[in-house]
């Protein structure tokens, strides 16, 4: 399958958006949008007051949500810290919600 060019300065190959400068900003925003959509679909199962126990909530996270964050991560792992931080914030919020833990201010 050949990479798709939209006439822009970005190319999409195997679901990864590559831009001219390889900063992966467009791809990380795509990951965040996809993760938010998947999270909202599973929120009733993993939110703080839901019925499944902790092990089942973690299993839902590992099977359904984590693959969205880790798909092709060896390729885009060299992105800017700010892009990685925004993805890490999503993951941390989800895991705190699953564990029914509070945010720590340090």
């Amino acid at each position: 399958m050949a990479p798709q060019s939209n006439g822009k300065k970005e190319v999409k190959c195997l679901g990864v958006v590559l831009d001219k400068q390889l900063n992966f900003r467009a791809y990380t925003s795509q990951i965040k949008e996809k993760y938010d959509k998947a999270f909202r679909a599973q929120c009733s199962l993993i939110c703080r007051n839901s019925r499944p126990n902790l092990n089942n909530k973690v299993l839902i996270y590992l099977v359904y949500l984590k693959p969205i964050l880790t798909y092709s991560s060896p390729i885009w792992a060299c992105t800017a810290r700010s892009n990685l931080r925004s993805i890490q914030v999503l993951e941390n919020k989800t895991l705190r919600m699953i564990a029914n833990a509070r945010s720590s201010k340090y």
Side-chain angles (χ1 to χ4, degrees):
M1 179 181 218
Q4 297 174 352
S5 178
N6 305 355
K8 300 179 183 176
K9 296 180 181 179
E10 300 172 346
V11 175
K12 188 171 185 177
C13 183
L14 296 174
V16 179
V17 179
L18 303 170
D19 56 354
K20 189 174 182 179
Q21 297 173 343
L22 291 178
N23 62 13
F24 299 100
R25 189 171 297 129
Y27 184 62
T28 53
S29 66
Q30 179 184 344
I31 289 173
K32 291 187 288 186
E33 289 172 13
K34 186 183 270 189
Y35 186 85
D36 282 338
K37 186 177 179 181
F39 176 76
R40 279 189 234 111
Q42 299 298 320
C43 190
S44 63
L45 294 174
I46 62 175
C47 67
R48 295 182 193 274
N49 299 324
S50 62
R51 289 194 174 226
N53 63 17
L54 180 61
N55 291 335
N56 290 338
K57 289 180 182 183
V58 171
L59 187 62
I60 291 169
Y61 168 75
L62 290 175
V63 171
Y64 194 71
L65 297 172
K66 182 126 179 153
I68 296 170
L69 299 176
T70 58
Y71 178 73
S72 71
S73 59
I75 296 170
W76 57 265
C78 61
T79 188
R81 285 186 183 175
S82 59
N83 293 337
L84 290 175
R85 179 73 177 143
S86 65
I87 291 173
Q88 187 178 17
V89 166
L90 287 175
E91 187 175 27
N92 289 346
K93 284 182 180 180
T94 304
L95 293 174
R96 278 196 308 268
M97 183 177 285
I98 288 172
N100 201 11
R102 299 262 183 227
S103 167
S104 65
K105 307 256 179 174
Y106 43 94

